[in-house]
Amino acid sequence: MPYLTGTAAGGSRTAVRAGLGVPGCAHPLLAPAEWNALTRPGTPLHWTVLDVADGPGVRPDPRCLEAAGRLRNAGIRVLGRLDLLRGTRARGELITDAHRYLEWYQVDGFLLDRCPASRAGLPETRRTITSLRALRADAHLVLGHGTPPYPGYAECAEQLVTFDGPWSDYRFSQTAEWTADHPPERFCHFVHGVPRGHLDEALRVARWQGAATIWFTDRTDHGGRRAPWEGLPGYWDDIVSLVGTGVSE
């Protein structure tokens, strides 16, 4: 299968130790069991996104405060979701939302959702990131491109989301050759509509494309763009077990 557009140097991509990056469950009032499951000891989580109301909301939410606090007390990194709208959103609005996330929920960083992927969008993205670093120098930043971006973005953040979409596209997808110059810990894949019978194959795609942070679910986007991420996969225990013990060769 065409998992790569080039050959990874040194074969390092066959040794990916994956972990889960949660793009954002539904509000804790609507999905309390899901939020509880994320704090279960031994769950291989790299981070969880907190999306209160398409961002931080206009005032602190007690249930989200509790959910974020439990995750952080369990040693799990919590990221606030900032929607860049492919570079069309004003930087001032983004920084205001970042302030609220930091002040109200003490987040550890941000998922910059719908981040531009083009070379033209890089300068403004850099300026936004500089402003975020001024708020919290050690913020963990994940750029949610959803596709392999212009290589310069790799210099800006800790991680890049280089795939965000359905299994029907992912199973035959290719990643950009330049990503082989970076370790798997730099890349994330979000895939929805993955049948349980293809979960092992999906994990192999992630391994060969060099993505160490993943989120695979059998949920679909029929209810909207964010719908696949609002609940846990139907095979939650299976994927926790598979990822937690490493991907078999």
Side-chain angles (χ1 to χ4, degrees):
M1 292 184 181
Y3 299 154
L4 286 169
T5 57
T7 302
S12 62
R13 290 175 182 244
T14 63
V16 174
R17 290 290 295 183
L20 301 173
V22 185
C25 289
H27 191 280
L29 183 63
L30 303 176
E34 284 84 346
W35 286 95
N36 288 337
L38 296 178
T39 59
R40 184 186 306 167
T43 303
L45 286 181
H46 287 169
W47 40 258
T48 297
V49 172
L50 178 67
D51 187 10
V52 180
D54 198 23
V58 296
R59 63 183 60 85
D61 184 301
R63 292 183 183 273
C64 290
L65 282 167
E66 179 183 2
R70 290 181 61 199
L71 287 166
R72 297 186 74 247
N73 288 339
I76 299 166
R77 183 182 282 133
V78 178
L79 307 181
R81 176 177 172 262
L82 301 174
D83 190 349
L84 271 62
L85 296 175
R86 300 299 177 198
T88 64
R89 192 165 177 214
R91 190 169 0 129
E93 293 181 7
L94 293 167
I95 301 309
T96 295
D97 278 357
H99 267 294
R100 290 173 174 173
Y101 268 123
L102 289 166
E103 180 180 356
W104 298 342
Y105 304 106
Q106 288 78 54
V107 296
D108 304 292
F110 303 96
L111 168 66
L112 279 64
D113 199 15
R114 292 198 280 187
C115 183
S118 67
R119 182 174 185 172
L122 180 57
E124 179 59 23
T125 301
R126 280 178 171 157
R127 285 189 283 269
T128 298
I129 288 171
T130 297
S131 297
L132 294 175
R133 298 285 191 201
L135 296 180
R136 176 165 179 166
D138 64 345
H140 186 88
L141 301 182
V142 180
L143 304 185
H145 308 286
T147 189
Y150 176 72
Y153 286 94
E155 303 171 3
C156 300
E158 282 66 40
Q159 292 185 294
L160 313 178
V161 179
T162 53
F163 188 93
D164 181 340
W167 166 243
S168 57
D169 292 340
Y170 187 62
R171 67 184 308 193
F172 300 113
S173 64
Q174 298 180 350
T175 194
E177 188 171 355
W178 66 263
T179 64
D181 296 330
H182 301 272
E185 291 77 14
R186 301 295 310 283
F187 301 107
C188 316
H189 289 171
F190 301 156
V191 190
H192 58 77
V194 182
R196 173 61 185 90
H198 290 277
L199 185 55
D200 289 317
E201 182 185 351
L203 290 167
R204 285 195 296 272
V205 176
R207 183 180 76 241
W208 284 105
Q209 290 197 9
T213 299
I214 60 170
W215 186 253
F216 297 156
T217 181
D218 49 357
R219 298 170 66 93
T220 69
D221 62 351
H222 297 323
R225 178 179 175 271
R226 299 289 300 169
W229 323 130
E230 291 180 349
L232 300 182
Y235 41 68
W236 173 245
D237 289 339
D238 293 335
I239 196 169
V240 166
S241 178
L242 284 169
V243 174
T245 57
V247 180
S248 60
E249 295 293 336

